[in-house]
Amino acid sequence: DNAEKKGKQGPSGTKLPNVQIDEVYLWEVEHLSVRFPSEGSHIINHMHGIDRDSTPLPENTPVFRKIHSSNSEEDMTNKSEHKVTSYNKLIGIHECILSDVVRTPSKEGVVQKSQAYVRAGPRRELHFNPRTVNAAIVTCGGLCPGLNNVIREITNTLYHLYDIKGKVYGIRGGYKGFYDERYPPVELTPELVENIHHDGGTVLSSSRG
């Protein structure tokens, strides 16, 4: 009863006049299919190896989908022997992050516009098939706190949640690792990255060029 009353009353605080957003324009990200063909259609995004209940996005909710379909008719849905769990939250096509959160009152009749970024997060369908994925992680530019945490979590997510069958490579020395033979890549595994978050900097090293 209290929740119902609160919903009818609306949010607490003072409603401001003429402070609103009438139009939102999304800065769209180039879809992977523009440069990389997908290995199949309807590769459903599940978390692997997790045994718990969750509520997936409703089937009729608009989501980001592939622009170009594959010629393959094979259903590429991962049929791993591991248990799979649907994400509690899948990102829909119109979910975004506003770029200008500071708002000022406008004159009556003036259209308030804002630009927005694509919201990150899991989509319903994958572009790449986890069974054939190889991934690379590189750290470039100046150092910032938490780089080893990022390396660790990306590696663990690829292996444990996406259940990839390929390998994860760490590119050493920043961009130099792509072309300098003195910096061979290192294979990253959950065992190798288990404790790197206790160290500062980046275990892969970094450079600006």
Side-chain angles (χ1 to χ4, degrees):
D1 292 340
N2 291 335
E4 185 177 350
K5 291 180 180 179
K6 186 176 181 180
K8 291 181 180 180
Q9 293 174 353
S12 59
T14 303
K15 182 180 179 180
L16 299 177
N18 301 324
V19 178
Q20 60 190 31
I21 299 176
D22 300 303
E23 298 177 2
V24 176
Y25 296 86
L26 185 68
W27 277 314
E28 295 179 318
V29 177
E30 183 179 77
H31 197 277
L32 286 169
S33 59
V34 175
R35 301 182 184 273
F36 305 99
S38 180
E39 297 177 60
S41 60
H42 307 298
I43 306 175
I44 304 302
N45 190 7
H46 291 296
M47 291 183 287
H48 293 261
I50 298 179
D51 185 15
R52 64 178 176 81
D53 295 328
S54 62
T55 305
L57 197 70
E59 285 298 324
N60 59 351
T61 303
V63 295
F64 285 100
R65 293 183 180 274
K66 296 179 286 297
I67 297 173
H68 305 294
S69 60
S70 170
N71 293 328
S72 172
E73 297 296 331
E74 180 186 0
D75 181 9
M76 300 299 286
T77 303
N78 193 309
K79 297 180 176 59
S80 170
E81 63 182 4
H82 296 294
K83 295 180 179 179
V84 297
T85 300
S86 297
Y87 282 89
N88 284 318
K89 173 66 178 177
L90 292 172
I91 304 302
I93 191 170
H94 292 148
E95 295 189 45
C96 58
I97 305 296
L98 296 177
S99 63
D100 46 351
V101 296
V102 177
R103 312 304 302 174
T104 57
S106 63
K107 296 181 180 180
E108 186 175 352
V110 176
V111 177
Q112 290 277 40
K113 301 179 181 180
S114 178
Q115 291 182 303
Y117 302 101
V118 173
R119 184 180 178 185
R123 268 59 179 179
R124 178 185 292 137
E125 297 181 6
L126 300 176
H127 186 72
F128 296 111
N129 180 10
R131 289 182 291 179
T132 59
V133 161
N134 289 291
I137 302 172
V138 60
T139 51
C140 308
L143 298 179
C144 64
L147 286 176
N148 284 335
N149 295 68
V150 173
I151 296 169
R152 180 177 184 266
E153 295 312 309
I154 292 176
T155 301
N156 284 326
T157 297
L158 287 168
Y159 279 113
H160 295 312
L161 294 187
Y162 286 95
D163 194 31
I164 68 167
K165 301 305 181 185
K167 295 181 178 180
V168 180
Y169 296 98
I171 307 300
R172 298 172 57 239
Y175 287 119
K176 288 183 179 179
F178 287 109
Y179 61 83
D180 195 326
E181 295 181 354
R182 295 177 298 172
Y183 299 93
V186 58
E187 183 180 344
L188 300 177
T189 63
E191 294 75 22
L192 184 64
V193 302
E194 182 177 0
N195 294 310
I196 64 173
H197 59 300
H198 296 300
D199 300 325
T202 163
V203 294
L204 298 177
S205 300
S206 181
S207 70
R208 297 184 185 274

